[in-house]
Amino acid sequence: MSDTPWLHPETGQPMRRLEFHITYHCPERCSFCSEEHRMSAYEAFPVTFGRVARVLREQAERGIESVHFTGGEPTIHPQFVEILQLAKKLGMRTSIGTIGTRLADPAFAARALPFLDEALFSLHGPDAVTHESLTRRPGSFARLERAMALGRAQPGFRIFVNTVLVRENAHRLVETVKLARERGAELLVVSNVTPEGAGEDAYGALTLRLGEIQALVPQVIEAAGPMIVRFFGVPACALGDSRVFANDIHWNPRVTFEWVRHPDRVSLEGLYNWQPDRKRMQTATCGSCSWNQLCHGVFAKYVELFGDGELRGV
Ligand code: SF4
């Protein structure tokens, strides 16, 4: 790796976005959780405020302008509010990926929201039964609803929604999209289940076939109305005429800080990604596709289980 991985190898532009795993704990037990293995491996290693502060200051000096805190569930970091305050003091735009949790508490939300520009809320169904069949924690839907309501009441705060698409909730996807719209979401991310963590362990049972996803796309776009829609982890050709909604072509390069294991220790390291190609591959079909510079293909695990016969090229 170069000595300056935060500079684009061709243009020399500095990376602008930071993604930061500030905790390896989560009260939910989502059946598709991509972080489950890393949470098990690193739960004994707290990401202390001192460590977070050092990374934030260093990355601000390197040109980072926005930070997305994730986990585990980032709001349960014991110094979550202080972390947000420091990021704002360093001039960063702040966002989190959350399933609500502590933001459902009005007193906590009142302390945190003034330092938070936006949140990507995890909504996996239009009602408690569907959502909690996946999160496997009673009450998580009501907490998420409270957190989103408190966010809506905060002037200038932006609500985004991420819904992970698996076989179990696919038949409720359109209603989930409508609920996100009713709750004031500006952006909707429909995430294809990722073959990582628990998502890898049960990938064959969880994932939809690409043809099934393609059949849902027009309904999602119609139900979304004015929301911006992005499909994460879906090959562009599986989106048909709606391939402009592929997250691949709207994705921003990022440095991700997380624990990395070495033979004799773990260390908090920055992984610099200029392309959204994690766990994905292009196949022989992609060679003649006019979108092969824009689309990063299909999950390698999907090809292993189902082949690439559903890829059509553009
Ligand atoms: S053929 Fe390959 S590169 Fe082209 S859209 Fe499909 S997955 Fe992407």
Side-chain angles (χ1 to χ4, degrees):
M1 186 185 282
S2 87
D3 292 341
T4 52
W6 57 92
L7 300 179
H8 191 282
E10 285 157 20
T11 66
Q13 287 293 307
M15 191 166 272
R16 301 293 187 198
R17 180 184 163 105
L18 165 63
E19 191 156 311
F20 204 156
H21 293 262
I22 57 172
T23 178
Y24 285 78
H25 294 270
C26 181
E28 317 288 326
R29 288 290 168 267
C30 296
S31 57
F32 48 74
C33 177
S34 61
E35 293 299 316
E36 188 188 70
H37 295 178
R38 281 189 285 271
M39 289 198 290
S40 303
Y42 301 122
E43 64 184 356
F45 302 96
V47 187
T48 61
F49 179 77
R51 286 190 170 102
V52 176
R54 180 176 53 75
V55 170
L56 288 177
R57 291 197 176 100
E58 179 185 274
Q59 293 298 319
E61 279 175 21
R62 289 177 179 173
I64 289 293
E65 295 173 345
S66 68
V67 57
H68 180 76
F69 294 108
T70 181
E73 166 55 45
T75 62
I76 64 174
H77 189 288
Q79 286 171 279
F80 178 69
V81 177
E82 290 88 338
I83 290 171
L84 292 181
Q85 287 171 332
L86 177 59
K88 292 308 292 179
K89 196 172 155 191
L90 292 168
M92 293 180 185
R93 188 163 181 82
T94 53
S95 75
I96 58 168
T98 181
I99 199 153
T101 314
R102 291 176 81 198
L103 284 181
D105 169 7
F108 186 83
R111 290 176 54 222
L113 289 174
F115 304 100
L116 197 48
D117 293 301
E118 61 208 30
L120 181 66
F121 290 101
S122 297
L123 174 69
H124 304 310
D127 53 34
V129 171
T130 310
H131 179 83
E132 291 168 17
S133 72
L134 296 169
T135 65
R136 299 184 287 194
R137 188 179 181 224
S140 67
F141 184 79
R143 273 187 293 279
L144 177 60
E145 284 272 57
R146 278 202 303 278
M148 286 197 287
L150 291 167
R152 266 197 311 283
Q154 176 74 20
F157 181 76
R158 303 177 75 190
I159 293 179
F160 302 158
V161 162
N162 178 51
T163 189
V164 175
L165 180 59
V166 292
R167 187 154 293 288
E168 205 172 332
N169 66 0
H171 66 295
R172 308 296 306 277
L173 178 61
V174 172
E175 293 157 276
T176 307
V177 173
K178 287 178 180 166
L179 182 65
R181 181 177 170 182
E182 281 169 29
R183 296 299 183 257
E186 294 177 43
L187 168 79
L188 170 76
V189 183
V190 179
S191 292
N192 196 5
V193 62
T194 303
E196 287 191 68
E200 180 172 22
D201 295 343
Y203 187 69
L206 290 169
T207 192
L208 270 72
R209 300 295 295 269
L210 294 177
E212 294 174 294
I213 296 176
Q214 186 162 358
L216 288 166
V217 169
Q219 301 167 56
V220 167
I221 290 168
E222 189 185 345
M227 288 191 292
I228 296 167
V229 179
R230 301 282 179 256
F231 289 90
F232 166 86
V234 182
C237 55
L239 298 173
D241 292 341
S242 302
R243 55 187 171 273
V244 292
F245 297 103
N247 193 57
D248 285 2
I249 62 173
H250 303 278
W251 187 87
N252 293 314
R254 63 200 58 181
V255 52
T256 302
F257 267 81
E258 59 186 339
W259 285 124
V260 175
R261 187 174 290 283
H262 299 281
D264 56 341
R265 66 192 165 91
V266 300
S267 64
L268 195 63
E269 295 181 16
L271 309 172
Y272 292 81
N273 293 304
W274 295 95
Q275 303 286 351
D277 53 3
R278 190 161 159 157
K279 300 277 178 180
R280 294 173 66 189
M281 64 179 289
Q282 292 193 343
T283 73
T285 306
C286 306
S288 56
C289 171
S290 63
W291 268 55
N292 65 14
Q293 299 298 308
L294 301 171
C295 167
H296 290 273
V298 60
F299 287 122
K301 182 85 177 175
Y302 188 92
V303 176
E304 184 189 317
L305 292 180
F306 306 114
D308 74 338
E310 293 160 283
L311 301 185
R312 295 280 172 261
V314 179

